[in-house]
Amino acid sequence: MCHCGENISRTVDVEQVARAAGEIPGVAYACDYKYMCSDPGQNLLKKAVAEHKLDGVVVAACSPRMHEKTFRKAASAAGLNPYLCDMANIREHCSWVHEDKKLATAKASDIVKLMVERVKKGKSLAPITVPVTKRALVIGGGIAGIQAALDIADAGHQVVLVEREPSIGGHMAQLSETFPTLDCSQCIMTPKMVDVANHPNITLHTFSEVEKVEGYIGNFQVTLKHKARSVDESKCTGCGICMTKCPKKKIPNEFDQGHGMRTAIYVPFPQAVPNTPVIDRENCTMFQSGKCGVCAKVCGPGAVDYQQEDRFTVEAVGAVVVATGFKLYSIDRKPEGSPIQGYGEFGYGTIPDVIDGLTFERLASASGPTGGKILRPSDGKEPKQVVFIQCVGSRAREKGISYCSKVCCMYTAKHTMLYHHKVHDGQAYVFFMDARTPGKGYDEFWRRAVEEEEAVYIRGMVSRMYQKGEKIVVMGSDIQVGVQVEIEADLVVLATAVQAQDGADLLAQKLGISYDKYNFYSEAHAKLKPVECATAGIYLAGACQGPKDIPDTVSQASAAAAKVMTLFSKDQLERDPVVAKVNEKYCVGCLACKKVCPYGAVEEKEIRDRQGNLVKVVAYVNPGVCGGCGTCQATCPSKSVELDGYTDEQIMAMIESL
């Protein structure tokens, strides 16, 4: 019995529970200790197994998700089969949810009694071994995907990197400079992009998406959809003549947030990797009317192929790293099918000089549509007064987004600096609720924006904005001094919320991983498994899990890569043997278990006689895929399925103990 400091003992009389446990028939020894998971606590367990010749151990403590492996290792070190060591959860299931100490103590005793009976009926189990395909799939070509891919590839393993856009780089390639060092984003990013393209262990698939995922940890079969570029990558030399000759030149460039222009055949930005154009079929005259073909005529290598179609390939991989990144919330309208409410009051989408933070990055970037000059989108004039508004969408429960987007305070401070460096006689104003600077050197960076770069921070919210001639009138309040504020701005920049990518939920369903109500992917355990999914062999990196800045993203990407390398360090993977098994003698082949299995572990199996005649079809559980949830056991109408470690005999013994 563990006190867990005071987590358990505050509401459970642990000593009394230990005394009661010692009186349960079959219990040879019972004791309590303040921190059972500590080294002295584990030594108590080992000593008890040896001295009392125990053939089963129950540790009454916290959730088995926390320390089940810890205690099973200790039991194994003492010579006991680790699967005859189990945990009674008297913390999350008892002490944390009750206040009455007498009742909580009685309940804790019952929980211990249940587990004792279960372990008494338990059997020794051996770990399941499955072969490992030492090849990884990385989904997403932003900084997270690039870092993870390079780390895995540098360790000597093959990597397949998939990006749905025509080029890798993600949002980081769009940035001008990065906080808190103000170093050039492109200078950091583009060498890594080139490294990916040139790495012998990395196979790069851009303009491609994951279509289907089958299999299990160590043995995934992933179907990729390669969208038609209408350009043969093997023939294209990247000379760019097709783009210079294309007559369709006034298409808003998505990379520049719609403020720059591109042609119908294009690369997203000059440093794109691969430097192979793609034809925008929705805007190409050839695909719309069949009358043009200029790019094909001027292409010397003959790389332009209007007949090219989508194609599919299947990649065998042992692990998957999901690094699909984020998008910024577009507040001008409510997205279709989204529970999030629009922010029409800020005039975004109706007032041309109201832009979001990523658009400001493109205006400030030397490779942007204005060549690095801060100019108003409406008339190209230099703005002398710029208002930055924070928490637009974030931390607004009434609008549907309750979380903090984490990076906005810092990138707004960065924007005020970039503006001051480029428009020396300009003035930046920031409306904010509070400043959140959780990182090394971050608070100093924010203070520099206020104290040295002369940004005026106004603690308060904006109540109204409207166009007045060439100006945008921003009305708000300064709650620190209790006055109303009205500023006639030339440009307004909104720090909009960070959201999960479009289609994040659909990809999660293909992968079989969980996600929250905002479509951010969920980790297996916030503290102990922050980069792992509940589905074994799938790992998370970057802002697909939640809002993150670049240092956190890179750290998590390397952590995910380290997990993949750990998986690939052995030829055979050992898995927990708590899996379902089918008694083929009684199985009637209804396959109700197959319909409900969340892991896709149930398959059809044919039983044939010696002459090869089909006798019957039964269910078969692939132990390499099974997650041990027990749903099949609960569903089977003929009671032909049992879960090792949770057999019907064990469950009945637990019920009878009460």
Side-chain angles (χ1 to χ4, degrees):
M1 313 294 164
C2 180
H3 292 243
C4 196
E6 292 185 352
N7 274 299
I8 295 173
S9 61
R10 188 182 296 112
T11 44
V12 172
D13 187 336
V14 180
E15 292 90 345
Q16 183 180 325
V17 175
R19 288 193 296 271
E23 298 171 2
I24 299 173
V27 173
Y29 176 75
C31 72
D32 62 276
Y33 187 70
K34 204 165 200 66
Y35 295 104
M36 194 61 73
C37 59
S38 66
D39 192 53
Q42 292 179 56
N43 287 332
L44 275 176
L45 187 154
K46 295 174 187 176
K47 186 178 179 182
V49 171
E51 288 184 359
H52 299 275
K53 296 180 172 55
L54 304 181
D55 54 15
V57 172
V58 173
V59 181
C62 55
S63 163
R65 292 186 70 182
M66 288 288 287
H67 288 302
E68 186 177 65
K69 285 187 177 180
T70 302
F71 295 119
R72 283 183 170 175
K73 281 182 181 177
S76 182
L80 182 69
N81 185 282
Y83 299 98
L84 293 174
C85 172
D86 231 316
M87 292 189 68
N89 186 351
I90 60 172
R91 190 178 75 173
E92 284 84 347
H93 287 179
C94 190
S95 68
W96 276 3
V97 292
H98 297 295
E99 295 179 359
D100 188 310
K101 191 162 188 174
K102 184 177 179 181
L103 293 175
T105 301
K107 180 179 175 180
S109 291
D110 283 343
I111 292 172
V112 171
K113 196 186 301 182
L114 288 171
M115 297 310 297
V116 167
E117 295 303 325
R118 182 177 148 217
V119 171
K120 282 163 66 175
K121 299 287 185 181
K123 297 176 182 177
S124 297
L125 301 174
I128 297 164
T129 58
V130 293
V132 176
T133 303
K134 297 183 180 182
R135 194 164 180 254
L137 172 72
V138 177
I139 307 173
I143 184 59
I146 287 172
Q147 184 68 40
L150 287 172
D151 283 353
I152 298 168
D154 286 343
H157 303 296
Q158 293 292 318
V159 179
V160 179
L161 178 57
V162 180
E163 167 58 50
R164 68 178 177 182
E165 297 299 327
S167 168
I168 58 174
H171 286 309
M172 187 173 169
Q174 292 178 281
L175 305 183
S176 171
E177 296 174 19
T178 59
F179 62 78
T181 52
L182 290 184
D183 44 4
C184 169
S185 176
Q186 292 273 3
C187 301
I188 304 170
M189 193 64 173
T190 49
K192 283 185 172 289
M193 293 164 60
V194 174
D195 287 347
V196 166
N198 295 335
H199 205 294
N201 289 338
I202 297 178
T203 302
L204 177 60
H205 296 298
T206 56
F207 214 48
S208 303
E209 296 180 2
V210 173
E211 186 73 12
K212 185 169 66 172
V213 180
E214 298 175 303
Y216 51 94
I217 181 172
N219 298 271
F220 292 105
Q221 296 291 322
V222 183
T223 303
L224 301 180
K225 176 184 177 182
H226 306 279
K227 296 179 285 187
R229 302 179 81 103
S230 304
V231 175
D232 189 331
E233 292 181 78
S234 63
K235 295 180 180 179
C236 179
T237 61
C239 66
I241 293 176
C242 55
M243 293 182 283
T244 60
K245 298 295 184 181
C246 179
K248 204 77 176 288
K249 301 181 183 293
K250 296 290 185 181
I251 303 168
N253 189 354
E254 298 84 355
F255 187 79
D256 287 331
Q257 295 295 98
H259 290 274
M261 296 297 170
R262 63 166 173 81
T263 51
I265 183 168
Y266 71 102
V267 291
F269 56 104
Q271 300 82 19
V273 173
N275 190 28
T276 305
V278 61
I279 293 181
D280 177 1
R281 295 189 173 189
E282 290 185 6
N283 289 292
C284 177
T285 306
M286 187 67 183
F287 284 96
Q288 296 304 312
S289 64
K291 298 176 182 178
C292 185
V294 170
C295 52
K297 294 172 186 174
V298 300
C299 181
V304 176
D305 181 5
Y306 299 124
Q307 307 304 317
Q308 197 179 77
E309 295 181 352
D310 296 349
R311 59 186 180 88
F312 297 87
T313 59
V314 178
E315 301 283 357
V317 296
V320 179
V321 177
V322 186
T324 50
F326 70 95
K327 70 170 185 177
L328 285 183
Y329 180 37
S330 179
I331 63 159
D332 57 331
R333 64 192 180 282
K334 180 179 178 180
E336 186 177 347
S338 172
I340 311 300
Q341 301 297 315
Y343 267 77
E345 65 267 31
F346 284 105
Y348 184 77
T350 57
I351 304 174
D353 293 323
V354 177
I355 62 175
D356 62 20
L358 206 49
T359 303
F360 188 86
E361 291 281 353
R362 296 310 302 148
L363 295 179
S365 174
S367 62
T370 59
K373 296 178 181 178
I374 308 295
L375 303 176
R376 287 159 44 113
S378 63
D379 55 16
K381 293 181 180 178
E382 188 175 72
K384 298 302 180 183
Q385 291 202 114
V386 179
V387 171
F388 296 87
I389 304 175
Q390 297 203 244
C391 294
V392 178
S394 305
R395 303 168 64 193
R397 294 180 184 176
E398 70 281 1
K399 298 294 183 180
I401 302 177
S402 60
Y403 58 84
C404 169
S405 290
K406 190 175 181 179
V407 296
C408 319
C409 289
M410 290 300 295
Y411 78 61
T412 297
K414 178 187 72 175
H415 287 167
T416 64
M417 292 184 188
L418 296 180
Y419 173 67
H420 190 250
H421 295 169
K422 291 175 181 288
V423 184
H424 302 298
D425 57 341
Q427 181 60 59
Y429 300 90
V430 182
F431 282 91
F432 77 119
M433 289 194 284
D434 44 39
R436 297 186 170 186
T437 55
K440 184 178 179 180
Y442 283 15
D443 193 61
E444 294 87 338
F445 183 83
W446 181 82
R447 290 183 179 279
R448 176 181 156 194
V450 178
E451 297 168 3
E452 297 180 26
E453 306 291 350
E454 301 175 356
V456 176
Y457 272 73
I458 302 168
R459 189 183 293 273
M461 296 298 293
V462 172
S463 58
R464 188 186 174 206
M465 278 171 45
Y466 62 91
Q467 189 89 46
K468 180 182 176 183
E470 293 186 353
K471 299 287 186 178
I472 305 164
V473 178
V474 181
M475 303 175 69
S477 58
D478 186 336
I479 62 174
Q480 282 186 314
V481 293
V483 299
Q484 297 300 305
V485 178
E486 185 174 305
I487 300 170
E488 291 192 357
D490 299 307
L491 182 69
V492 176
V493 183
L494 307 178
T496 50
V498 170
Q499 286 190 298
Q501 282 281 18
D502 292 329
D505 52 341
L506 300 178
L507 178 60
Q509 290 160 21
K510 292 174 185 177
L511 291 166
I513 62 177
S514 56
Y515 53 98
D516 63 21
K517 65 179 181 178
Y518 301 112
N519 289 348
F520 287 119
Y521 299 142
S522 301
E523 64 280 359
H525 192 286
K527 298 180 184 69
L528 301 180
K529 295 183 177 180
V531 301
E532 299 173 60
C533 290
T535 303
I538 300 180
Y539 307 95
L540 303 175
C544 64
Q545 186 188 22
K548 286 183 179 67
D549 57 23
I550 294 169
D552 283 353
T553 294
V554 172
S555 299
Q556 192 184 13
S558 290
K563 288 290 182 182
V564 172
M565 287 182 262
T566 302
L567 173 62
F568 290 174
S569 64
K570 297 178 182 177
D571 295 328
Q572 297 281 331
L573 171 69
E574 285 193 356
R575 292 204 65 205
D576 197 318
V578 179
V579 296
K581 290 183 179 176
V582 178
N583 186 327
E584 296 177 355
K585 181 179 179 180
Y586 299 113
C587 177
V588 298
C590 69
L591 299 175
C593 51
K594 184 177 181 179
K595 296 175 184 175
V596 300
C597 179
Y599 298 94
V602 182
E603 306 166 4
E604 295 181 27
K605 179 181 177 182
E606 294 181 347
I607 304 295
R608 297 183 179 271
D609 61 21
R610 292 181 179 178
Q611 287 72 43
N613 300 314
L614 181 65
V615 177
K616 66 174 182 175
V617 175
V618 298
Y620 167 74
V621 178
N622 187 330
V625 185
C626 179
C629 67
T631 307
C632 54
Q633 182 178 16
T635 305
C636 180
S638 61
K639 305 301 175 190
S640 306
V641 186
E642 280 195 331
L643 192 66
D644 279 341
Y646 296 87
T647 63
D648 290 347
E649 185 183 17
Q650 287 176 293
I651 300 297
M652 289 306 299
M654 293 170 73
I655 294 169
E656 287 168 5
S657 75
L658 296 176

